[in-house]
Amino acid sequence: SLEAIRDKIDTLPTSVTESATFTADGAITVGDLTGVTSGGKAPKLTADWAASAVPTTFTTIATGAASTTVSHSAWIATDKFITVYNNNTDIYVVVCTIAATGTITVGTPVDTTFNSTASNTPVRVVKLDTDKAQIFYIVVTTGYGQSAVITVSGTVPTIGAATQWTANEIPKAIDACQLGTDKCCAAYKITGTVVYHINGCTVSGTTQTWGTAANSEGTSITATGQTSIAKVATDLVAWSFERSATYLVVANVSFSGANPTRNGTDLNNFIDIASVADANGELTSCSPAANLAFVATVNSAGKIVYTNTVTVSGTASPVAGTGTNITYEPGDSNPPNTVSCQILDSTHVAILNGNISA
């Protein structure tokens, strides 16, 4: 897979030229569009490849979940992913494998018994290592944020002991990303306040050790208060969040062990538009290249997806790109309310979004 290829390239020494070699699968000439198979072959892609690649069948990985269920997934191996979801009774974990033929084998969903029963409570999962992940969720009875380590054997997940990571605070929105093997960071907005927090965590076995959280500054007056994190370099992230009802902010955050530090001056007015991440919208980010983050957010009232890039490097203040606003079906009565981004290569990102009723 492309993820496996990137992982192999990332392990090359920095003093050598990064490269990867594949064996041509059939006749290929300069300028042909090619793909890469799991066996390291590079076949030529024909003109109708895009149409033939559209799936005609889909695999159900969970049943009984309401339409409002919140879910999140992460790759934990080259052919395996883990999904966590809330089905109105509790948070469940299911592991799936994908064969080279595209066949998906679904494991048995496991109840975490986390006592998180509200369907709209946020949940996130990130990879820590091969067959190892960390889940972030909210306990309904207390409202506090907790996390736990999940180890996987085949398609069977084993859930470790939970740790409260938001102090005695109730998070409204959460996001998390992997910093390295057995290391991650997570961010959230405290419900009913104007403050966001970001913190790091190191993991040994299934034991979690959280650092001392760093806080946002300024005022956030929205109810939703979306936040997103993208790793841009070793122990360095672009942390974006909604500071007010009119613009987004990006901060440079580095980590020493599990402890975060905000560097330079926050990039204010990063995306300047009324209600950028309103109650029906989301905020997402990813890093297609070193020290570069791509950020996208939704203004469902204006039926618009807004995007921009930002450079985050060392301890310098973040620097914004030129920015592009993407209009989503201006005449549609069902505006977008979800958005996510997927890295295609170092200069291309795919944006996926859905509308309120679809």
Side-chain angles (χ1 to χ4, degrees), residues 188-213:
Y188 64 99
K189 178 185 182 292
I190 304 173
T191 300
T193 74
V194 298
V195 179
Y196 294 85
H197 285 177
I198 187 169
N199 204 353
C201 180
T202 56
V203 176
S204 177
T206 59
T207 302
Q208 307 166 77
T209 302
W210 285 91
T212 302

Side-chain angles (χ1 to χ4, degrees), residues 283-315:
L283 170 64
T284 187
S285 61
C286 59
S287 178
N291 301 115
L292 180 70
F294 173 88
V295 181
T297 189
V298 171
N299 176 341
S300 64
K303 305 177 183 179
I304 298 173
V305 175
Y306 291 92
T307 68
N308 204 347
T309 58
V310 58
T311 299
V312 176
S313 180
T315 58

Side-chain angles (χ1 to χ4, degrees), residues 19-331:
S19 64
T21 302
F22 306 99
T23 303
D25 187 6
I28 297 178
T29 60
V30 175
D32 285 342
L33 181 65
T34 66
V36 177
T37 70
S38 59
K41 299 287 187 177
K44 178 180 177 179
L45 301 182
T46 60
D48 62 350
W49 170 79
S52 64
V54 176
T56 57
T57 59
F58 297 86
T59 300
T60 300
I61 65 173
T63 59
S67 60
T68 55
T69 290
V70 177
S71 63
H72 194 240
S73 301
W75 288 100
I76 54 174
T78 56
D79 61 350
K80 186 183 302 185
F81 66 92
I82 185 170
T83 296
V84 296
Y85 63 94
N86 195 323
N87 74 345
N88 290 327
T89 60
D90 209 337
I91 295 177
Y92 283 74
V93 177
V94 61
V95 178
C96 303
T97 58
I98 302 180
T101 58
T103 301
I104 298 177
T105 300
V106 183
T108 301
V110 174
D111 187 349
T112 62
T113 66
F114 284 155
N115 190 28
S116 185
T117 57
S119 63
N120 61 346
T121 55
V123 60
R124 289 290 186 272
V125 63
V126 298
K127 176 183 176 180
L128 291 174
D129 201 352
T130 300
D131 283 336
K132 189 175 185 180
Q134 190 170 11
I135 184 175
F136 306 83
Y137 61 97
I138 295 174
V139 179
V140 173
T141 53
T142 64
Y144 301 151
Q146 290 189 339
S147 59
V149 175
I150 302 172
T151 55
V152 177
S153 176
T155 59
V156 179
T158 300
I159 303 160
T163 297
Q164 184 175 314
W165 66 280
T166 62
N168 291 333
E169 298 163 340
I170 301 175
K172 176 66 177 180
I174 59 176
D175 194 31
C177 77
Q178 182 186 22
L179 292 176
T181 301
D182 281 339
K183 187 174 183 180
C184 73
C185 68
Y188 64 99
K189 178 185 182 292
I190 304 173
T191 300
T193 74
V194 298
V195 179
Y196 294 85
H197 285 177
I198 187 169
N199 204 353
C201 180
T202 56
V203 176
S204 177
T206 59
T207 302
Q208 307 166 77
T209 302
W210 285 91
T212 302
N215 300 332
S216 65
E217 297 175 355
T219 301
S220 174
I221 63 175
T222 58
T224 305
Q226 301 291 345
T227 185
S228 184
I229 316 169
K231 177 187 173 183
V232 296
T234 302
D235 286 335
L236 186 67
V237 302
W239 179 29
S240 54
F241 52 88
E242 184 182 6
R243 175 164 287 176
S244 74
T246 56
Y247 60 89
L248 293 177
V249 176
V250 176
N252 173 327
V253 180
S254 59
F255 289 84
S256 176
N259 297 312
T261 298
R262 292 175 59 198
N263 303 300
T265 302
D266 289 353
L267 178 59
N268 293 307
N269 296 310
F270 172 57
I271 298 180
D272 189 358
I273 184 66
S275 300
V276 281
D278 58 9
N280 291 318
E282 287 189 350
L283 170 64
T284 187
S285 61
C286 59
S287 178
N291 301 115
L292 180 70
F294 173 88
V295 181
T297 189
V298 171
N299 176 341
S300 64
K303 305 177 183 179
I304 298 173
V305 175
Y306 291 92
T307 68
N308 204 347
T309 58
V310 58
T311 299
V312 176
S313 180
T315 58
S317 302
V319 178
T322 56
T324 300
N325 295 340
I326 301 176
T327 302
Y328 173 84
E329 298 185 16

